[in-house]
Amino acid sequence: MPSLVNVNNGLSTVPALADVRIDDAFWAPRREVVRTHTIPQQERELRTGGHLDALRGTWRPGEPEPHVFWESDVAKWIEAASYSLTQVPDPELDAAVEEVVALLAGAQEPDGYLNVYFSQVRPGRRFTDLRDAHELYCLGHLVEAAVAHHEATGRTSLLDVVRRYVDLVERELGPGGSCDGGYDGHEEIELALVRLARATGEARYLDLARRMVDARGREPFYFDAETERRGDEGYFASYFPDRPRQVQRFREYNQSHAPVREQSDAVGHAVRAMYLYCAMADLAAETGDDGLRAACERLWTSVTERKMYLTGGIGADPSIEGFAGDHELPNESSYNETCASVGLVMWAQRMGALTGEGRYGDVMELALYNTVLAGASADGTHYFYGNPMASDGGHEREPWFGCACCPPNLARLLMSLPWYAYLVRPGQVDVTLAVGGSARLDVPGVGEVRLDVATGYPWTGDVAIDVTAPPGADLVLRVRIPGWADGARAELNGEDLPDDAVVDGFLWVERAWRAGDRLSIELPMPARRVWADPRVRADLGRVAVARGPLVYCVERPLDGSADAPDPAAVVLARDEPIGTSWSDELGLVVADLPVRTIDDDAATVEADGAAAPDGAAPLHRRTPPRTTRRTAEAIPYFAWANRGPSAMRVWLLDSAPA
Ligand code: FUB
Ligand code: ZN
């Protein structure tokens, strides 16, 4: 059958990871922690937690079952490790990756099928529960891992495995196949197939991705048909007992409530949504599909203008790990899965590539520097699954989870950071994130361009870029100017650039670059107050603090190790300046907030002589609590919960002027 689409019509590409060096004071040490602590710790968890044993095929009835999507954890770890290997050679890690690849190859059935849960625990039931059982989701992660592994090592061992599996899936999803017209209940395979098409140049993978994207939500409804064929309620029946009665809610859960091109409201499980939207944006870029692009733009508005937390967290509703209604953004119960923000970063990058607009990079940066970074401890070995906006002390990061999707997702994102910093288009380079280091970029129509970037970001807003391009070649260099950066200034070789050089959120400089050319940008970074749309009921009367791309929070370690007020009792003064300073102890820029704290009961009651007859503090009283003027330290949100159990709040009480 002739292909419906061509590969590589997408006009933008990301750089090879090996061609970008990151050596700044912020990202370089954090990525080194991922390389030296996170990836090895996750390998240990995979070895001791059963993931690798399951691939050895030693499971016997009566033993604890392998998890239905363990392959995805293994795959994301291979992906992170492969990205790391492109940047720092590590024979030990390389050997571990090869061992795991060999285990995957050994677990593959002769016809290409690869999923140990169905091979061992439920033989004969493969592809009968696409809605719940995650087979194609796992395949998607395996495909991403295989492409990463191939690009890092040049080996095709894993790529060969996954291509055989994709061949099988292509047959089974096609006419007369066991799941003809199907698609997965957890999106991921679609974006992975686009990656596979780009890596191999084979358009049939794009066709398959588009078939699945377009089949989603159409009638006759695939998931009903497979439920009827299967004769039971599916793998997640016990988790969602209300599903038969709440048909619409559970169609929304996996975004199958309507054909994707007709969707406008971001609903359902947030990670599923992000991976679907990534695939839609990818397909729109590869094929020029305006219907998919328009849907992505509408969904973007829904997410970022009505359903996203200040920290770039998404998915307010824990019951579905997903979106709640418009402006429904509770603080204490906020879910904000780390994977969902990883997915948001991925989608934002794709939307920026598709449209060329800097506002997508603003959201990408927000999610990256706040929710995603908060997902791991400073030592890189403990993780948040959900990222609350407020806590009274009940949230601590854990070394691993029974459902361990987040830890390796975070690792693979941070190890592929260069893709989010640079984008190459014909005759043009976009710098979307200010990351110190250098990049060697092959720019169509220009040749090899080298950028050397020096910056103190995100602690300071200075960004200096030395540009080396082939003599005489015309190159457009675009640098994103974040929406928060009021008063940003830019100079080329010491000469001011005009304000109208900023278009679509990017500073544009087009010229035949000469040796020694330097572009210097200054992004003012005073601490700023932020208020929410009053329709966000949870934030009424509240204010938050941000500085540059970082959102701040007030934290009080419960062991009393810091002189910090109860974050719930902090009232931020409106009209006094917020100071900032570098803390050597924390290795962060902290904000010194002018606040009043609402004092504790005992002091108030005693001073007012308002105690109840038995001497206890009355529950309700006519005298207001006393307040004390003081300075409260706020730290970047990503850094909270690194000092033991702590109380924390992003949205503080606001002292509105009379
Ligand atoms: O279902 C696979 C992953 O596990 C999801 O993306 C996460 O939300 C977690 O449920
Ligand atoms: Zn997750």
Side-chain angles (χ1 to χ4, degrees):
M1 186 177 91
S3 167
L4 298 172
V5 290
N6 301 310
V7 183
N8 289 337
N9 283 352
L11 291 178
S12 59
T13 51
V14 291
L17 295 178
D19 290 342
V20 178
R21 195 171 47 85
I22 293 178
D23 66 3
D24 61 5
F26 188 84
W27 284 112
R30 285 176 172 77
R31 282 161 41 89
E32 188 61 3
V33 164
V34 176
R35 192 180 77 78
T36 57
H37 289 75
T38 306
I39 292 174
Q41 180 255 346
Q42 295 185 358
E43 181 189 332
R44 286 194 296 278
E45 292 291 347
L46 296 177
R47 287 185 187 283
T48 56
H51 289 63
L52 300 192
D53 287 341
L55 292 173
R56 295 191 173 92
T58 55
W59 180 82
R60 294 289 169 269
E63 295 176 2
E65 294 178 356
H67 195 282
V68 70
F69 49 82
W70 263 356
E71 277 89 358
S72 66
D73 300 337
V74 173
K76 280 184 272 184
W77 177 82
I78 293 177
E79 212 187 318
S82 299
Y83 297 150
S84 175
L85 290 171
T86 62
Q87 293 156 79
V88 183
D90 179 341
E92 223 177 287
L93 180 61
D94 186 40
V97 168
E98 291 318 302
E99 180 194 343
V100 178
V101 168
L103 287 175
L104 286 165
Q108 185 164 38
E109 294 192 21
D111 65 355
Y113 187 79
L114 173 46
N115 183 301
V116 293
Y117 179 81
F118 284 97
S119 293
Q120 296 176 37
V121 184
R122 299 270 183 279
R125 304 284 284 173
R126 63 157 81 160
F127 299 139
T128 58
D129 189 1
L130 295 190
R131 185 191 61 196
D132 288 0
H134 286 65
E135 284 155 292
L136 304 182
Y137 163 84
C138 285
L139 172 56
H141 280 302
L142 286 168
V143 166
E144 289 206 84
V147 172
H149 175 249
H150 175 57
E151 286 172 357
T153 65
R155 298 174 201 132
T156 62
S157 41
L158 189 54
L159 202 54
D160 295 342
V161 167
V162 302
R163 291 180 77 173
R164 287 181 54 224
Y165 190 7
V166 172
D167 289 347
L168 172 71
V169 166
E170 200 178 12
R171 288 195 299 275
E172 297 293 357
L173 288 173
S178 65
C179 43
D180 182 1
Y183 47 92
D184 204 80
H186 194 315
E187 302 91 326
E188 158 63 23
I189 180 67
E190 304 85 348
L191 77 86
L193 286 169
V194 177
R195 253 186 108 170
L196 188 60
R198 287 175 176 156
T200 60
E202 288 200 30
R204 69 190 175 100
Y205 299 128
L206 277 191
D207 289 338
L208 187 55
R210 196 167 74 162
R211 259 167 44 204
M212 285 190 240
V213 164
D214 274 336
R216 192 166 213 91
R218 293 202 181 278
E219 296 295 338
F221 190 56
Y222 183 80
F223 295 143
D224 282 351
E226 74 164 10
T227 304
E228 201 168 307
R229 278 199 300 272
R230 198 178 51 241
D232 65 48
E233 265 309 315
Y235 186 81
F236 281 143
S238 59
Y239 292 92
F240 300 132
D242 280 344
R243 188 159 53 188
R245 282 182 298 285
Q246 296 188 19
V247 171
Q248 175 68 8
R249 175 172 161 84
F250 284 101
R251 287 190 179 190
E252 290 181 355
Y253 174 71
N254 57 30
Q255 296 81 37
S256 65
H257 56 293
V260 299
R261 289 159 196 280
E262 294 167 19
Q263 297 188 21
S264 300
D265 190 23
V267 291
H269 184 269
V271 184
R272 284 171 166 82
M274 289 303 107
Y275 291 174
L276 169 64
Y277 305 161
C278 282
M280 290 163 63
D282 278 342
L283 286 168
E286 288 291 340
T287 67
D289 188 324
D290 287 339
L292 287 177
R293 175 177 169 154
C296 280
E297 287 173 339
R298 293 192 305 272
L299 291 161
W300 181 267
T301 303
S302 168
V303 171
T304 60
E305 294 184 14
R306 300 192 289 273
K307 301 194 177 190
M308 184 177 76
Y309 284 92
L310 180 64
T311 51
I314 52 172
D317 181 352
S319 73
I320 53 163
E321 301 184 303
F323 294 107
D326 287 352
H327 306 106
E328 255 183 70
L329 296 166
N331 289 309
E332 286 82 354
S333 66
S334 49
Y335 193 68
N336 289 344
E337 182 177 341
T338 302
C339 282
S341 286
V342 168
L344 179 57
V345 170
M346 292 164 55
W347 183 34
Q349 190 278 340
R350 285 159 166 86
M351 292 302 290
L354 181 63
T355 63
E357 293 177 37
R359 65 195 173 105
Y360 296 103
D362 287 6
V363 171
M364 178 174 89
E365 176 174 80
L366 180 77
L368 175 67
Y369 275 98
N370 296 286
T371 302
V372 170
L373 264 190
S377 56
D379 71 359
T381 61
H382 287 64
Y383 311 95
F384 272 141
Y385 191 114
N387 292 276
M389 300 292 287
S391 173
D392 284 334
H395 296 86
E396 280 197 90
R397 295 185 185 87
E398 294 179 36
W400 199 245
F401 306 97
C403 167
C405 48
C406 300
N409 218 356
L410 189 142
R412 72 177 181 140
L413 178 71
L414 297 189
M415 294 319 286
S416 55
L417 187 66
W419 291 345
Y420 301 89
Y422 300 102
L423 191 75
V424 175
R425 304 173 191 273
Q428 181 177 319
V429 171
D430 290 354
V431 179
T432 310
L433 293 179
V435 177
S438 59
R440 203 166 49 78
L441 306 164
D442 201 5
V443 184
V446 175
E448 186 177 303
V449 171
R450 186 185 157 105
L451 303 181
D452 288 281
V453 183
T455 180
Y457 210 80
W459 307 125
T460 65
D462 55 296
V463 186
I465 306 178
D466 292 333
V467 184
T468 312
D474 202 45
L475 168 75
V476 178
L477 178 64
R478 300 200 315 160
V479 184
R480 187 176 58 85
I481 305 297
W484 49 258
D486 294 345
R489 291 184 47 244
E491 291 177 353
L492 180 64
N493 300 328
E495 301 281 320
D496 279 345
L497 291 170
D499 288 349
D500 64 7
V502 178
V503 178
D504 286 340
F506 281 94
L507 171 74
W508 296 57
V509 185
E510 178 173 6
R511 64 196 255 114
W513 296 80
R514 288 191 300 265
D517 276 350
R518 167 171 288 195
L519 184 61
S520 309
I521 295 168
E522 194 56 51
L523 306 170
M525 273 193 189
R528 58 186 189 276
R529 290 170 175 79
V530 184
W531 289 270
D533 182 318
R535 284 172 291 182
V536 181
R537 311 299 288 174
D539 296 338
L540 274 182
R542 295 189 176 274
V543 58
V545 174
R547 178 174 183 271
L550 302 174
V551 173
Y552 277 67
C553 64
V554 173
E555 179 183 39
R556 178 168 71 161
L558 297 189
D559 67 2
S561 60
D563 170 30
D566 174 3
V570 164
V571 185
L572 180 61
R574 264 238 184 138
D575 303 319
E576 295 169 55
I578 298 173
T580 57
S581 56
W582 177 258
S583 160
D584 278 336
E585 187 197 339
L586 299 177
L588 305 164
V589 169
V590 297
D592 298 315
L593 308 184
V595 303
R596 299 198 79 87
T597 51
I598 301 174
D599 293 342
D600 70 39
D601 275 337
T604 309
V605 168
E606 199 181 323
D608 292 348
D614 65 355
L619 184 58
H620 301 116
R621 52 193 85 144
R622 292 192 208 174
T623 49
R626 295 194 167 200
T627 62
T628 304
R629 170 75 178 83
R630 60 168 289 175
T631 300
E633 182 179 89
I635 61 168
Y637 174 77
F638 75 74
W640 89 278
N642 275 303
R643 296 180 279 182
S646 61
M648 179 279 296
R649 249 165 214 276
V650 172
W651 288 102
L652 309 171
L653 296 169
D654 179 20
S655 75

